[in-house]
Amino acid sequence: MPLLISALIVCIAGSWITVRIMARIAATPGRQNHSWYLQCAAAGATTIWCTHFLALLAYMPGVAGLLNIPLTLFSFAVAAGGVLSATVIATTSKNRMGPAMGGAVLGLAIAGMHYSGMYAVDFGEHMAWSVPTIALSLLLGMVFGTLSLQCLLRSGNRHRELLATVLFVAAIAGLHFVGVSAMRTTMLSADLTSGGNAPVVLGVALAITTLLLVATGGNSFSIDDATRAESYERMRQMALHDALTSLPNRVSFNDHLDQVIEDAKKNATQFALIGIDLNKFKEINDVRGHAAGDAVLVTIANRFTEMLGKGEFVARLGGDEFAAVHLTSNPDELAAFVARIEEAINLPIPIDDYAVTTGGSVGLALFPKDATDKETLVTRADLAMYRAKADPVRTVAYYEPSMDETVREARALAADLRTAMEKGELSLHYQVQTAIATGEIFGYEALLRWNHPERGEVPPAQFIPVAEENGLIIPLGEWVLQTACAQAAHWDPAYKLAVNLSPVQFFHPDLSRLVQETLESTGLAPARLELELTETSIIDDKQRALEIVRRIKELGVSIALDDFGTGYSSIDTLRSFPFDRIKLDGSFMKGIETNSDAAAIVRSVLALGRTMNISVLAEGIETPRQLEVLRGEGCVAGQGFLLGRPARPETLGLQPA
């Protein structure tokens, strides 16, 4: 009886492991299946083989001494080969009948093992067989084997592994017990029941061996499941977190924001969405290299992680853009959180033997005050962030309804500007440039004008930023350069032509080629063209800017530094770049008559120009007194309403009316 119980335990446990391995094989494509195929063959064959001999020993203890060892081992090989073939057919066949065919092969494998195992017992001439019973045993093995694999691989039942195991057990046990009854032996029962303790010892050894194999299979599952879980967690981490900073990424941010909005609606609570953009990241990246840029991002991300408290979340959306969520409606707590963000982005960041400071712009939108859906909330936080970025005074801005109107107006203006470029609504006016000492005209500056059919005259200060933000500044700048050069080529006398370059246009990779082709196509002499750029155009990447300036100078074109005295103006810039002219910003003219500081600045710039042998042109001259002061200080050239207002070329007599 103990051996029979052992046979049943071995059959159930081994069938369960074999079925689970088959299921794993079916769900796991690729080469990693090879080891599972071998484990499946080993587990299935051992289960069938040990179940057979344990049950046989239970009924015929004396049979242990009659075993033919080579045939006994051969019966195991039959089982292993059959289970392997059945598994391959069932799991790889593209035919829907693949599992059924594999199940039929499984039944034949069980039968092959059973009957080869029976032949391994040396009954001599004392054994006979019942063919009908053998046929019935084969039928049972094939039917239950087919049902088992069909249920496992084609059924949608969530308990299919359990049902497949029951049918697998039925295939083994049914074929065995019916197959044993097919055998007729004339040996004395005393001969078959003799053997002392040897059958029990052999049976225990078989049971232990099988259970060890089953345990090994189960352990393989545990290891594989743990590995899969670890791989899944690693993939999940990679999918939801930024690889560089380990902060949650855009996908994770969107999921988190969806959940926060759902909870806020359910609980009638409020929260703040905060957009964060680093101000000097591009400069650090370009000047110090990408390794320095990465170090900045990692440092700031670590600071963000360390500062987070309950109900606070920060993600990196990409580049130098971050987003944060703060779950509170308390203004003081929100202000404290924003202060921590500012501290994180404003503290110096040590990199090797130097330190950099990025600074940043922060925009806030409140739910549900500013928006009740994710898309609108994100858009309005971005609007507030861009407002903070555009404001020279503040770095933090809260969303205001007027920002939407500003955006709508900018979009409408951009659409109108595209239309104006297509319909030829743009024109060039020119402002005279004269020698202050003599009043002689030596050149004109080209100024872009837009006469809108409905809006009227649109100031350049209004539409130029729109052109830069919407990618229109490059074609617009090309049109200005081409048109101005074409008109100036026909001027008589051959005055100098000054044309402004926007920062975006200046760093266009084809700028020098564009200038050369424009000069060639219009016939304008290079010495008559002067290109004006501001220091803000070159400060972000001085090395690259210097290379561009040199290439333009090689064409014979002059370069002027516009709006000098504001922003980043420095002696180092004048010393590094081969400027032909400094244009003193017109803001200094307003106080030159009464303000001693303004007069001192003008005097210093003029002295600097003389020292460095660079001509200085003063802009914004509007009164005779201003002109008189400049003449007294030795200023070479001037430009302003007093000397001449911008006008069409035909009005100035530069071309026929």
Side-chain angles (χ1 to χ4, degrees):
M1 192 65 179
L3 290 178
L4 194 59
I5 294 174
S6 297
L8 184 61
I9 292 173
V10 165
C11 187
I12 293 173
S15 297
W16 169 245
I17 290 297
T18 305
V19 164
R20 289 206 64 197
I21 293 176
M22 285 186 182
R24 177 61 52 85
I25 291 171
T28 310
R31 294 183 177 179
Q32 50 190 317
N33 271 344
H34 294 172
S35 62
W36 285 115
Y37 276 121
L38 295 177
Q39 286 201 46
C40 186
T46 305
T47 301
I48 297 166
W49 193 78
C50 288
T51 299
H52 168 83
F53 281 106
L54 283 170
L56 192 61
L57 286 171
Y59 282 107
M60 303 175 182
V63 87
L66 304 175
L67 289 176
N68 182 311
I69 299 303
L71 281 177
T72 301
L73 295 176
F74 174 74
S75 68
F76 181 85
V78 169
V83 173
L84 179 61
S85 300
T87 306
V88 171
I89 293 170
T91 57
T92 62
S93 176
K94 296 181 179 179
N95 192 316
R96 285 194 59 83
M97 294 303 294
M101 291 188 291
V105 173
L106 177 64
L108 292 173
I110 298 170
M113 183 274 127
H114 174 80
Y115 290 109
S116 62
M118 293 300 292
Y119 271 105
V121 182
D122 188 9
F123 288 107
E125 297 179 358
H126 300 284
M127 186 172 63
W129 295 94
S130 169
V131 175
T133 308
I134 291 175
L136 177 61
S137 69
L138 282 171
L139 180 63
L140 287 174
M142 293 175 69
V143 168
F144 283 118
T146 298
L147 291 175
S148 176
L149 298 197
Q150 190 75 14
C151 173
L152 177 67
L153 303 176
R154 286 289 181 262
S155 171
N157 192 309
R158 61 193 181 96
H159 301 298
R160 58 183 178 275
E161 288 188 9
L162 180 60
L163 294 174
T165 301
V166 171
L167 292 167
F168 201 100
V169 170
I172 297 173
L175 190 145
H176 171 78
F177 290 114
V178 174
V180 168
S181 67
M183 182 184 67
R184 299 286 184 268
T185 179
T186 59
M187 292 184 71
L188 295 174
S189 58
D191 296 328
L192 295 174
T193 57
S194 63
N197 292 328
V200 176
V201 173
L202 179 60
V204 170
L206 285 170
I208 291 175
T209 302
T210 308
L211 291 176
L212 282 174
L213 182 64
V214 169
T216 302
N219 187 53
S220 296
F221 266 105
S222 298
I223 294 172
D224 186 62
D225 287 342
T227 303
R228 282 168 175 260
E230 188 177 312
S231 298
Y232 172 78
E233 185 58 32
R234 188 162 52 248
M235 291 174 65
R236 182 178 175 276
Q237 176 79 7
M238 292 172 62
L240 297 178
H241 289 76
D242 176 58
L244 176 64
T245 64
S246 296
L247 284 177
N249 61 12
R250 186 180 291 273
V251 174
S252 185
F253 165 74
N254 286 328
D255 290 344
H256 181 78
L257 189 55
D258 286 335
Q259 186 61 51
V260 169
I261 290 175
E262 182 180 335
D263 293 343
K265 288 180 177 178
K266 184 187 302 182
N267 302 320
T269 54
Q270 302 177 26
F271 70 89
L273 175 63
I274 304 156
I276 308 163
D277 191 74
L278 305 183
N279 288 345
K280 297 181 181 178
F281 180 72
K282 184 179 183 303
E283 177 184 342
I284 294 170
N285 231 9
D286 292 344
V287 175
R288 301 293 185 180
H290 290 287
D294 289 348
V296 166
L297 293 174
V298 170
T299 301
I300 289 178
N302 290 339
R303 290 175 181 175
F304 283 158
T305 302
E306 292 169 1
M307 77 177 192
L308 291 179
K310 185 178 179 181
E312 298 170 350
F313 175 89
V314 175
R316 182 190 176 202
L317 303 185
D320 61 344
E321 187 179 355
F322 298 83
V325 174
H326 185 71
L327 300 180
T328 181
S329 56
N330 186 308
D332 293 335
E333 291 182 7
L334 179 56
F337 179 61
V338 172
R340 278 182 275 145
I341 291 175
E342 288 190 280
E343 183 180 15
I345 60 182
N346 286 322
L347 283 176
I349 299 172
I351 301 176
D352 296 332
D353 58 345
Y354 59 92
V356 297
T357 304
T358 64
S361 303
V362 180
L364 294 90
L366 306 178
F367 180 96
K369 175 178 174 287
D370 297 326
T372 56
D373 63 272
K374 183 174 75 173
E375 289 72 21
T376 306
L377 189 67
V378 169
T379 299
R380 291 180 173 173
D382 283 343
L383 286 177
M385 182 185 70
Y386 289 128
R387 172 62 63 86
K389 186 175 284 289
D391 194 322
V393 178
R394 60 177 178 173
T395 58
V396 177
Y398 284 75
Y399 168 78
E400 299 171 2
S402 60
M403 294 178 183
D404 277 332
E405 182 58 37
T406 301
V407 170
R408 281 193 292 269
E409 174 63 21
R411 288 175 180 168
L413 194 63
D416 288 351
L417 183 56
R418 287 190 180 91
T419 303
M421 292 170 65
E422 293 169 0
K423 293 185 175 181
E425 295 175 2
L426 302 173
S427 62
L428 292 180
H429 287 203
Y430 295 89
Q431 187 170 29
V432 67
Q433 297 176 330
T434 64
I436 289 182
T438 63
E440 180 184 0
I441 298 174
F442 65 84
Y444 287 88
E445 179 182 1
L447 301 172
L448 183 61
R449 293 293 183 262
W450 178 15
N451 186 14
H452 193 282
E454 297 175 2
R455 301 172 185 264
E457 291 289 340
V458 182
Q462 186 176 346
F463 70 80
I464 293 297
V466 170
E468 291 178 336
E469 292 170 7
N470 290 272
L472 300 175
I473 195 65
I474 296 298
L476 191 60
E478 290 180 3
W479 180 86
V480 170
L481 183 63
Q482 178 73 30
T483 304
C485 289
Q487 292 179 354
H490 300 288
W491 290 350
D492 187 18
Y495 297 119
K496 190 126 183 165
L497 168 68
V499 178
N500 288 283
L501 295 178
S502 77
V504 177
Q505 188 182 11
F506 176 69
F507 277 110
H508 193 277
D510 291 332
L511 178 61
S512 59
R513 183 179 59 82
L514 171 67
V515 173
Q516 182 178 7
E517 291 178 353
T518 301
L519 292 172
E520 291 173 354
S521 64
T522 60
L524 183 70
R528 291 183 56 200
L529 177 62
E530 182 172 271
L531 297 178
E532 299 181 358
L533 59 141
T534 61
E535 193 165 7
T536 54
S537 301
I538 62 177
I539 195 65
D540 286 341
D541 191 344
K542 283 192 173 183
Q543 191 59 43
R544 184 181 170 197
L546 180 58
E547 182 61 30
I548 294 172
V549 168
R550 284 174 176 167
R551 285 203 299 266
I552 293 174
K553 291 275 291 180
E554 288 172 359
L555 299 175
V557 175
S558 303
I559 298 290
L561 181 60
D562 200 8
D563 300 334
F564 188 81
T566 62
Y568 301 97
S569 299
S570 66
I571 295 176
D572 180 65
T573 301
L574 293 178
R575 187 174 56 188
S576 302
F577 285 78
F579 293 117
D580 299 286
R581 192 188 305 278
I582 297 171
K583 297 191 71 176
L584 183 61
D585 190 73
S587 59
F588 295 105
M589 293 301 105
K590 291 181 170 57
I592 195 173
E593 302 166 87
T594 57
N595 188 311
S596 58
D597 290 338
I601 291 173
V602 171
R603 192 177 300 113
S604 299
V605 172
L606 294 173
L608 182 63
R610 284 192 294 270
T611 301
M612 303 188 73
N613 198 29
I614 302 175
S615 172
V616 177
L617 183 148
E619 296 182 287
I621 303 173
E622 297 181 355
T623 67
R625 177 56 184 161
Q626 292 171 350
L627 182 62
E628 183 181 340
V629 172
L630 290 171
R631 187 180 290 119
E633 295 293 342
C635 183
V636 175
Q639 178 179 341
F641 288 169
L642 177 67
L643 305 175
R645 290 179 175 272
R648 291 181 176 276
E650 58 269 22
T651 304
L652 298 171
L654 295 175
Q655 68 181 46

